[in-house]
Amino acid sequence: MGLLNREKYDEEDERYDLSDKRVQVFTPKEQQIMYDIVEAASYQVVLMNMENMEPQEKQKMMDFISGAIFVLEIRLFEIAENIYILMPRGSRIREQL
């Protein structure tokens, strides 16, 4: 087990390898940006830092994002307290040890 709960993939299948792609970073202070986060996560890796959000706003935003990631098959990983990575369906990040 690694940081991102590695999944086993065929080593020759590089179609979904996002290790050389850009990562979009969001540091939301209000819920309104949740639509932008979900849209971006549907096609690229998103790092979401929610440290500056009020607890009630954060909960509302996470409820919305949880529903959206279920429908859009986006994967969500908590990498630290209040810091998350969202990845589009079929993508992966190689973990370097």
Side-chain angles (χ1 to χ4, degrees):
M1 283 280 194
L3 178 66
L4 296 177
N5 295 330
R6 261 186 285 178
E7 293 179 22
K8 292 185 179 185
Y9 291 91
D10 181 274
E11 287 298 319
E12 297 177 20
D13 187 2
E14 299 296 325
R15 292 176 297 172
Y16 302 116
D17 184 8
L18 299 176
S19 60
D20 64 340
K21 304 291 189 231
R22 295 179 189 247
V23 174
Q24 188 162 358
V25 178
F26 287 93
T27 306
K29 294 183 174 84
E30 58 187 32
Q31 283 179 229
Q32 190 59 30
I33 200 161
M34 65 189 169
Y35 302 106
D36 298 331
I37 292 170
V38 169
E39 181 182 353
S42 67
Y43 63 89
Q44 72 182 70
V45 176
V46 169
L47 179 75
M48 181 173 62
N49 180 348
M50 300 178 77
E51 292 178 319
N52 297 326
M53 293 191 76
E54 294 294 323
Q56 299 87 351
E57 293 291 310
K58 178 186 168 193
Q59 185 61 53
K60 289 177 187 176
M61 190 165 166
M62 287 304 292
D63 289 344
F64 174 82
I65 289 174
S66 295
I69 65 173
F70 177 76
V71 170
L72 299 173
E73 298 181 31
I74 296 169
R75 296 189 301 164
L76 173 72
F77 300 96
E78 183 173 17
I79 58 171
E81 187 174 347
N82 295 314
I83 300 176
Y84 303 88
I85 288 182
L86 293 92
M87 296 171 43
R89 186 181 99 202
S91 61
R92 66 185 171 120
I93 296 175
R94 287 189 195 159
E95 183 178 1
Q96 299 294 323
L97 300 176

